[in-house]
Amino acid sequence: LRGALTIAALATRTALQRFDQRSPGWEIAEAARRTVATGPPAALEPMVATLRAIARQARNELARIDALERACIAADDRERFVHAFATAGLELRAAKAVCEPSGRAFANFLTFF
């Protein structure tokens, strides 16, 4: 268990560096770390079952993120998007960046007439 705890702690630290504590990337790693940290050797089977459940959840999160990425790629196909509106008789008249408080743009607000 000591080796597993070392690996789990490293994964949690790495996740915290890459994400924040509200991210599934950190939450999943932290759940695994806590499971290993609190699991006594006599309770190995329940601990492994919990880790398997966490792994299933991680795979579900990855699938959800992949689906969101595909949706973003489709939504970011500006040419296709503008063409669809043009087909409905609407023309793109303006595009304005939507920014985070830091100033980083994360979307565009499109105006059609």
Side-chain angles (χ1 to χ4, degrees):
L1 286 179
R2 189 175 307 134
L5 184 55
T6 300
I7 291 168
L10 176 61
T12 300
R13 281 193 305 274
T14 301
L16 187 56
Q17 290 170 352
R18 292 187 63 199
F19 311 107
D20 66 28
Q21 289 182 340
R22 296 171 301 203
S23 167
W26 176 82
E27 290 174 351
I28 291 168
E30 177 63 4
R33 186 197 67 76
R34 287 182 186 187
T35 299
V36 173
T38 60
L44 190 59
E45 286 183 35
M47 183 175 33
V48 169
T50 300
L51 290 171
R52 284 188 177 134
I54 292 168
R56 270 193 310 278
Q57 181 64 32
R59 284 190 297 277
N60 290 339
E61 287 294 331
L62 287 172
R64 184 181 67 81
I65 290 167
D66 287 345
L68 286 171
E69 181 181 31
R70 287 190 306 276
C72 288
I73 289 168
D76 197 36
D77 186 348
R78 177 72 60 91
E79 185 178 311
R80 186 171 153 217
F81 192 73
V82 170
H83 177 73
F85 275 87
T87 301
L90 298 169
E91 180 183 330
L92 177 63
R93 298 288 175 101
K96 181 178 178 184
V98 179
C99 300
E100 296 177 342
S102 69
R104 184 180 78 86
F106 65 90
N108 287 298
F109 187 86
L110 305 178
T111 303
F112 290 88
F113 288 100

